[in-house]
Amino acid sequence: MGLFSRRKKPNRFIELLTKQAEHTSEGLQILLQYVKNPDESLARKLTETEKQADEVRRILIDELNRTFITPIDREDIFSLSLTIDDVLDYANTTLEEMEMLEIEPTPFLERMVSLLSEAAREIHVGVMRLEDHPGVANDHAVRAKALENRMETVYREAISDLFHMPRDVDHIVQMLKLREVYRHVSNAADRGDAAANVIGDIVVKKM
Protein backbone atom coordinates (compact mmCIF):
# COMPACT_ATOMS: atom_id res chain seq x y z
CA MET A 1 0.00 0.00 0.00
CA GLY A 2 1.45 3.38 -1.01
CA LEU A 3 2.08 6.27 1.35
CA PHE A 4 -0.73 8.39 -0.09
CA SER A 5 -3.30 5.61 0.17
CA ARG A 6 -3.03 5.44 3.94
CA ARG A 7 -6.11 6.71 5.67
CA LYS A 8 -5.99 8.93 8.70
CA LYS A 9 -6.74 7.04 11.88
CA PRO A 10 -10.10 8.23 13.23
CA ASN A 11 -10.15 10.14 16.49
CA ARG A 12 -11.64 7.68 18.98
CA PHE A 13 -12.97 10.42 21.25
CA ILE A 14 -14.67 12.26 18.39
CA GLU A 15 -16.23 8.96 17.32
CA LEU A 16 -17.64 8.35 20.80
CA LEU A 17 -18.83 11.94 21.25
CA THR A 18 -20.49 11.78 17.84
CA LYS A 19 -22.28 8.56 18.79
CA GLN A 20 -23.44 10.16 22.04
CA ALA A 21 -24.72 13.22 20.19
CA GLU A 22 -26.44 10.95 17.66
CA HIS A 23 -28.31 9.13 20.44
CA THR A 24 -29.30 12.46 21.97
CA SER A 25 -30.63 13.74 18.65
CA GLU A 26 -32.56 10.48 18.21
CA GLY A 27 -33.95 10.83 21.73
CA LEU A 28 -35.24 14.34 21.06
CA GLN A 29 -36.87 13.09 17.85
CA ILE A 30 -38.65 10.42 19.89
CA LEU A 31 -39.79 13.02 22.43
CA LEU A 32 -41.08 15.18 19.58
CA GLN A 33 -43.07 12.21 18.23
CA TYR A 34 -44.46 11.66 21.72
CA VAL A 35 -45.67 15.25 22.23
CA LYS A 36 -47.36 15.05 18.83
CA ASN A 37 -48.95 11.68 19.51
CA PRO A 38 -48.41 10.20 23.01
CA ASP A 39 -47.73 6.48 22.89
CA GLU A 40 -46.27 4.21 25.57
CA SER A 41 -44.05 2.46 23.03
CA LEU A 42 -42.27 5.78 22.41
CA ALA A 43 -41.58 6.10 26.13
CA ARG A 44 -39.91 2.66 26.11
CA LYS A 45 -37.97 3.60 22.97
CA LEU A 46 -36.65 6.79 24.58
CA THR A 47 -35.59 4.92 27.72
CA GLU A 48 -33.70 2.40 25.58
CA THR A 49 -32.01 5.20 23.63
CA GLU A 50 -30.88 6.80 26.88
CA LYS A 51 -29.41 3.47 28.05
CA GLN A 52 -27.47 3.14 24.80
CA ALA A 53 -26.14 6.68 25.18
CA ASP A 54 -25.13 5.99 28.78
CA GLU A 55 -23.14 2.97 27.64
CA VAL A 56 -21.29 5.08 25.06
CA ARG A 57 -20.49 7.62 27.74
CA ARG A 58 -19.18 4.90 30.06
CA ILE A 59 -16.84 3.70 27.31
CA LEU A 60 -15.70 7.27 26.62
CA ILE A 61 -14.89 7.89 30.30
CA ASP A 62 -13.02 4.60 30.48
CA GLU A 63 -10.99 5.53 27.38
CA LEU A 64 -10.32 8.95 28.87
CA ASN A 65 -9.04 7.43 32.10
CA ARG A 66 -6.70 5.09 30.19
CA THR A 67 -5.34 7.65 27.72
CA PHE A 68 -2.42 9.83 28.76
CA ILE A 69 -2.44 12.23 25.80
CA THR A 70 -5.74 13.23 24.17
CA PRO A 71 -6.24 15.08 20.85
CA ILE A 72 -8.63 17.50 22.60
CA ASP A 73 -8.28 18.85 26.15
CA ARG A 74 -9.44 16.21 28.60
CA GLU A 75 -11.67 18.74 30.36
CA ASP A 76 -13.37 19.64 27.08
CA ILE A 77 -13.98 15.98 26.18
CA PHE A 78 -15.48 15.35 29.61
CA SER A 79 -17.59 18.53 29.58
CA LEU A 80 -18.95 17.95 26.08
CA SER A 81 -19.84 14.36 26.92
CA LEU A 82 -21.53 15.44 30.16
CA THR A 83 -23.60 18.24 28.64
CA ILE A 84 -24.75 16.10 25.70
CA ASP A 85 -25.71 13.38 28.19
CA ASP A 86 -27.67 15.87 30.29
CA VAL A 87 -29.78 16.95 27.30
CA LEU A 88 -30.95 13.37 26.77
CA ASP A 89 -31.49 12.82 30.50
CA TYR A 90 -33.80 15.84 30.67
CA ALA A 91 -35.65 14.69 27.55
CA ASN A 92 -36.27 11.33 29.19
CA THR A 93 -37.43 12.83 32.50
CA THR A 94 -39.73 15.17 30.57
CA LEU A 95 -41.51 12.20 29.06
CA GLU A 96 -41.52 10.33 32.39
CA GLU A 97 -43.11 13.29 34.16
CA MET A 98 -45.72 13.70 31.45
CA GLU A 99 -46.76 10.08 31.96
CA MET A 100 -46.56 10.22 35.76
CA LEU A 101 -48.49 13.50 36.04
CA GLU A 102 -50.89 12.52 33.23
CA ILE A 103 -50.07 15.63 31.23
CA GLU A 104 -51.47 16.05 27.73
CA PRO A 105 -49.12 17.81 25.29
CA THR A 106 -49.77 21.48 24.59
CA PRO A 107 -48.95 23.55 21.49
CA PHE A 108 -46.31 25.36 23.56
CA LEU A 109 -44.69 22.07 24.53
CA GLU A 110 -44.65 20.85 20.94
CA ARG A 111 -42.98 24.08 19.77
CA MET A 112 -40.39 23.89 22.55
CA VAL A 113 -39.49 20.26 21.86
CA SER A 114 -39.39 20.88 18.10
CA LEU A 115 -36.84 23.69 18.53
CA LEU A 116 -34.82 21.64 21.00
CA SER A 117 -34.83 18.70 18.59
CA GLU A 118 -33.42 20.94 15.84
CA ALA A 119 -30.75 22.21 18.23
CA ALA A 120 -29.77 18.65 19.19
CA ARG A 121 -29.37 17.84 15.50
CA GLU A 122 -27.10 20.89 15.05
CA ILE A 123 -24.97 19.78 18.02
CA HIS A 124 -24.70 16.28 16.54
CA VAL A 125 -23.46 17.64 13.20
CA GLY A 126 -21.17 20.09 15.00
CA VAL A 127 -19.46 17.27 16.87
CA MET A 128 -19.06 15.30 13.62
CA ARG A 129 -17.29 18.26 12.01
CA LEU A 130 -15.01 19.08 14.94
CA GLU A 131 -11.92 17.24 13.77
CA ASP A 132 -11.78 17.98 10.05
CA HIS A 133 -13.83 21.19 9.74
CA PRO A 134 -13.74 23.10 13.04
CA GLY A 135 -15.06 26.29 11.44
CA VAL A 136 -18.13 24.42 10.20
CA ALA A 137 -18.51 22.81 13.64
CA ASN A 138 -18.62 26.27 15.18
CA ASP A 139 -21.29 27.36 12.67
CA HIS A 140 -23.48 24.47 13.81
CA ALA A 141 -22.85 25.35 17.47
CA VAL A 142 -23.95 28.93 16.78
CA ARG A 143 -27.13 27.65 15.10
CA ALA A 144 -27.82 25.39 18.08
CA LYS A 145 -27.50 28.34 20.46
CA ALA A 146 -29.87 30.44 18.30
CA LEU A 147 -32.46 27.63 18.32
CA GLU A 148 -32.16 27.24 22.08
CA ASN A 149 -32.63 30.98 22.53
CA ARG A 150 -35.83 30.75 20.49
CA MET A 151 -36.93 27.83 22.64
CA GLU A 152 -36.39 29.85 25.81
CA THR A 153 -38.59 32.59 24.34
CA VAL A 154 -41.36 30.04 23.78
CA TYR A 155 -40.78 28.76 27.33
CA ARG A 156 -41.37 32.22 28.77
CA GLU A 157 -44.50 32.59 26.65
CA ALA A 158 -45.73 29.22 27.90
CA ILE A 159 -45.16 30.16 31.55
CA SER A 160 -46.95 33.49 31.02
CA ASP A 161 -49.87 31.65 29.43
CA LEU A 162 -50.10 29.31 32.42
CA PHE A 163 -50.65 32.20 34.80
CA HIS A 164 -53.53 33.47 32.67
CA MET A 165 -55.44 30.24 33.15
CA PRO A 166 -58.65 30.22 35.28
CA ARG A 167 -57.97 30.22 39.00
CA ASP A 168 -60.11 27.27 40.16
CA VAL A 169 -58.32 24.47 42.01
CA ASP A 170 -58.23 22.01 39.09
CA HIS A 171 -56.60 24.51 36.79
CA ILE A 172 -54.08 25.54 39.42
CA VAL A 173 -53.03 21.90 39.82
CA GLN A 174 -52.77 21.57 36.05
CA MET A 175 -50.73 24.77 35.91
CA LEU A 176 -48.22 23.44 38.44
CA LYS A 177 -47.88 20.15 36.59
CA LEU A 178 -47.29 21.84 33.24
CA ARG A 179 -44.81 24.27 34.74
CA GLU A 180 -42.75 21.33 36.00
CA VAL A 181 -42.72 19.68 32.56
CA TYR A 182 -41.87 22.96 30.84
CA ARG A 183 -38.99 23.42 33.27
CA HIS A 184 -37.50 20.06 32.30
CA VAL A 185 -37.46 21.09 28.64
CA SER A 186 -35.91 24.44 29.59
CA ASN A 187 -33.21 22.61 31.57
CA ALA A 188 -32.48 20.45 28.51
CA ALA A 189 -32.04 23.63 26.47
CA ASP A 190 -29.65 25.05 29.07
CA ARG A 191 -27.48 21.95 28.82
CA GLY A 192 -27.64 22.05 25.03
CA ASP A 193 -26.45 25.65 25.16
CA ALA A 194 -23.57 24.53 27.39
CA ALA A 195 -22.66 21.78 24.88
CA ALA A 196 -22.59 24.35 22.07
CA ASN A 197 -20.31 26.54 24.19
CA VAL A 198 -17.88 23.65 24.68
CA ILE A 199 -17.79 23.05 20.92
CA GLY A 200 -16.97 26.73 20.50
CA ASP A 201 -14.18 26.49 23.08
CA ILE A 202 -12.67 23.45 21.33
CA VAL A 203 -12.75 25.25 17.99
CA VAL A 204 -10.97 28.32 19.42
CA LYS A 205 -8.18 26.08 20.76
CA LYS A 206 -7.85 24.28 17.42
CA MET A 207 -7.71 27.39 15.23
Side-chain angles (χ1 to χ4, degrees), residues 189-204:
D190 288 342
R191 301 309 289 158
D193 188 70
N197 285 338
V198 177
I199 291 173
D201 290 343
I202 293 171
V203 169
V204 168

Side-chain angles (χ1 to χ4, degrees), residues 5 19 26 51 56 66 69 79 118 136 149 169 174 204:
S5 62
K19 193 63 181 175
E26 289 172 355
K51 288 179 180 177
V56 175
R66 294 191 291 111
I69 298 175
S79 294
E118 289 182 50
V136 176
N149 287 337
V169 173
Q174 183 74 358
V204 168

